[in-house]
Amino acid sequence: IHDGLAAIALGVDIDEIVEAGTEQLRQTLLANTASEPEADYFAAEQCALVEGLLRGFKRIVWPSLQARFPKVVAVEPEMLYEYNGLTFMSKPDLIVEDIEGANHYIEYKSTSSNKEQWINSWSTAIQLHSTVRAVEATLGRKHSEETKEKMRKPKRVKDNN
């Protein structure tokens, strides 16, 4: 999913993204589950879910992000933050700029849960806070906010037909 979201931000055609992403996923799944019953079905099901997530994101979420943040500054860049003799390396999913020129850091997270506990856990997540510092250090200016874009994955339901 992350590679597909990065490709969307870079302007790659959605059909190319889906084709490459689902083929890579299919090959990986089949290589790891070939001896299991219904391996082909499972791989096809997972590929369909990924395709739906990517196409849905491109059609619904991405236009609203572009409207709020018209400039893509960086997609998964390596960024460093030095603190007390230690160097922290980060790869933020997306750095964008709003119409006023303020930076925003977007971190994509996927889950099958919509529980408040999961959502609230990100306010104290060291990954987000340390990445904000790396973004600020690399770009040389404060960011406005970090945004977590959640992609909810449906739970797998066994088809008995």
Side-chain angles (χ1 to χ4, degrees):
I1 294 289
H2 270 76
D3 289 346
L5 297 177
I8 288 170
L10 292 169
V12 178
D13 179 72
I14 189 64
D15 291 329
E16 292 177 30
I17 295 168
V18 167
E19 183 179 337
T22 55
E23 183 56 31
Q24 179 184 20
L25 177 61
R26 182 181 332 282
Q27 294 302 321
T28 300
L29 289 172
L30 291 176
N32 293 316
T33 62
S35 62
E36 295 181 24
E38 299 185 9
D40 289 333
Y41 177 82
F42 177 72
E45 175 189 56
Q46 295 303 301
C47 288
L49 290 172
V50 166
E51 179 174 356
L53 285 170
L54 290 171
R55 289 188 187 278
F57 180 88
K58 170 70 173 160
R59 184 167 184 213
I60 304 300
V61 179
W62 186 244
S64 67
L65 284 175
Q66 285 184 302
R68 288 173 52 204
F69 313 112
K71 181 179 178 185
V72 173
V73 175
V75 178
E76 294 188 351
E78 286 190 8
M79 295 187 163
L80 303 177
Y81 172 58
E82 295 190 25
Y83 182 78
N84 284 344
L86 299 173
T87 301
F88 171 78
M89 195 282 289
S90 176
K91 286 183 73 173
D93 291 337
L94 185 62
I95 307 297
V96 292
E97 193 175 278
D98 65 23
I99 57 174
E100 296 170 359
N103 289 335
H104 296 261
Y105 151 48
I106 297 177
E107 186 69 35
Y108 300 122
K109 296 296 174 195
S110 60
T111 181
S112 60
S113 171
N114 205 20
K115 293 182 180 175
E116 192 171 327
Q117 178 183 3
W118 183 87
I119 294 166
N120 292 338
S121 71
W122 292 102
S123 65
T124 58
I126 191 72
Q127 175 195 6
L128 296 181
H129 297 286
S130 54
T131 299
V132 165
R133 298 294 174 243
V135 170
E136 291 174 346
T138 302
L139 298 180
R141 62 186 201 175
K142 295 280 185 191
H143 83 295
S144 289
E145 65 183 41
E146 69 274 354
T147 303
K148 281 107 22 221
E149 287 297 328
K150 179 179 68 166
M151 296 184 69
R152 188 158 182 243
K153 297 183 282 190
K155 293 184 180 181
R156 184 164 193 246
V157 178
K158 183 160 175 81
D159 184 2
N160 292 323
N161 294 329

